Amino acid sequence: MSYASAVFSLHSFPLISDEYQWKGPFYFIQGADPQFGLIKSWAVGNTESGDDEWGEEIKLTEQAVQAINKLNPKPKFFVLCGDLIHGMPGKWRKDQEQDLKNVLQNTDQDIPLVFVSGNHDIGNTPTRETIDNYCKSWGDDYFSFWVGGVFFLVLNSQLYFDSSKCPELKQAQDTWLNGQLAAAKKHKCKHVIVFQHIPLFLREPDEDHDYFNLEKSVRQEIMEKFHKAGVKAVFSGHYHRNAGGCYRGLEMVVSSAIGCQLGEDKHGLRVVLVTDEKIVHRYYSLDELSSQGLEKDMMDMLAKQN
């Protein structure tokens, strides 16, 4: 599967062999959890059915799109790491999805969009039906793509959280992932980067399991698989706060939300700069990114090898 096969591919990547080759530093934008409807439902204390308003999320996502469109040079792509909307499924789901698509249609045509499934997109205990419905709206729930010699993997992390109603789909993703990691090693890509909604862990690889991370035995198996395959970083959302840590050279990056904040962070986006040797990232509030763009040190790294 590839991003270009997505049903809702507003702006897709050209599938050309040239993307297998390293061409120098580039950057992309990561966002997470626009989650249309959560701000109202969180405020009224009813996260099950209080998501009947999402005007604030529309404004925040519009601000995010406007900030991205102003960036120069343009990012290679804009990835949204899950929980696109809040209703799962609910009375307002279709309206929330349509309003989000209407906002994202204004993204610069030269900036491809990448979508990652979250628990509110396919359900806390997903089924084949909920995943199929997501795919009809947003495209494949797991896939890979190449940009400038870097190999990117998009995973359906909910299958690792609870696949009790669709174990065969988890097995299918596992088989596919093993093949993709083997192919990445064969092609000798510059870096391997993973996108998923639920973090492997928030701060420590051996921390206790809760709603915001994966169960410890599942987590350990995935971390070790990624380590052996040379994965450099995993980018996620779900926590609605910034967090992160490392496991044997694998960086876990947890980004706060475009939408509802559950901590002290501001609504924002993460700028991720990929160089020959490393991956550098920085979280910007929407106001900061809108007003100042990329900071000088990041611009200098971009220009260094181009």
Side-chain angles (χ1 to χ4, degrees):
M1 287 185 284
S2 71
Y3 173 67
S5 68
V7 174
F8 181 57
S9 54
L10 289 176
H11 330 307
S12 60
F13 291 108
L15 293 180
I16 52 177
S17 59
D18 195 36
E19 290 299 333
Y20 291 111
Q21 305 301 317
W22 175 251
K23 304 174 187 176
F26 65 88
Y27 79 101
F28 62 87
I29 302 295
Q30 183 220 2
D33 303 278
Q35 203 161 343
F36 281 25
L38 179 58
I39 292 177
K40 161 72 183 305
S41 61
W42 189 263
V44 301
N46 181 3
T47 57
E48 295 297 323
S49 59
D51 58 333
D52 58 342
E53 295 178 12
W54 49 93
E56 187 65 24
E57 287 94 338
I58 289 176
K59 292 178 182 178
L60 289 165
T61 309
E62 286 176 341
Q63 185 180 1
V65 168
Q66 291 164 7
I68 292 169
N69 286 347
K70 288 169 60 178
L71 294 171
N72 185 26
K74 299 181 193 301
K76 285 291 187 179
F77 59 89
F78 172 30
V79 57
L80 276 172
C81 281
D83 278 4
L84 307 176
I85 51 91
H86 185 66
M88 60 167 195
K91 181 178 180 181
W92 309 106
R93 182 179 183 86
K94 288 186 177 180
D95 290 338
Q96 290 170 359
E97 285 189 337
Q98 189 57 57
D99 282 349
L100 177 57
K101 290 179 180 182
N102 289 343
V103 174
L104 294 176
Q105 290 279 5
N106 294 316
T107 309
D108 189 301
Q109 294 292 314
D110 293 327
I111 303 174
L113 301 172
V114 178
F115 302 106
V116 181
S117 63
N119 57 302
H120 279 267
D121 303 312
I122 60 175
N124 285 325
T125 305
T127 65
R128 180 178 289 276
E129 180 182 8
T130 63
I131 292 174
D132 284 349
N133 287 338
Y134 168 85
C135 292
K136 289 174 183 176
S137 289
W138 301 102
D140 298 328
D141 59 321
Y142 58 90
F143 55 94
S144 64
F145 59 95
W146 289 81
V147 175
V150 177
F151 190 50
F152 294 91
L153 291 159
V154 173
L155 299 181
N156 180 346
S157 58
Q158 207 60 34
L159 294 175
Y160 296 121
F161 193 87
D162 184 355
S163 62
S164 58
K165 292 185 177 180
C166 53
E168 75 284 1
L169 298 184
K170 176 184 179 298
Q171 181 60 49
Q173 178 173 252
D174 284 340
T175 300
W176 172 86
L177 177 59
N178 291 338
Q180 293 292 300
L181 292 174
K185 194 170 185 179
K186 179 181 178 181
H187 281 292
K188 298 180 180 179
C189 53
K190 183 63 67 174
H191 304 294
V192 182
I193 296 173
V194 172
F195 300 121
Q196 60 186 58
H197 180 61
I198 301 177
L200 298 170
F201 58 90
L202 298 177
R203 291 185 173 83
E204 300 294 338
D206 61 349
E207 68 195 19
D208 290 340
H209 168 57
D210 64 20
Y211 176 78
F212 290 110
N213 60 22
L214 293 182
E215 193 273 326
K216 291 179 76 170
S217 63
V218 174
R219 178 196 317 164
Q220 184 62 40
E221 180 181 348
I222 296 173
M223 290 190 304
E224 197 58 29
K225 179 183 294 188
F226 285 175
H227 166 69
K228 290 179 179 178
V231 176
K232 286 286 184 68
V234 177
F235 289 87
S236 70
H238 190 52
Y239 191 44
H240 293 255
R241 286 152 283 198
N242 287 310
C246 290
Y247 172 81
R248 302 183 67 185
L250 168 69
E251 186 175 12
M252 181 68 246
V253 183
V254 185
S255 294
S256 196
I258 293 173
C260 185
Q261 299 297 310
L262 302 184
E264 301 301 319
D265 296 298
K266 296 181 178 180
H267 310 281
L269 296 164
R270 189 173 298 275
V271 174
V272 185
L273 175 61
V274 182
T275 75
D276 185 21
E277 298 180 347
K278 59 187 177 180
I279 298 164
V280 181
H281 53 87
R282 189 168 301 160
Y283 185 84
Y284 290 81
S285 73
L286 296 181
D287 289 339
E288 289 172 335
L289 195 61
S290 297
S291 63
Q292 70 184 41
L294 303 187
E295 292 173 286
K296 185 179 184 302
D297 62 330
M298 298 196 87
M299 291 293 288
D300 289 345
M301 281 188 280
L302 269 178
K304 188 174 182 180
Q305 299 177 44
N306 285 328

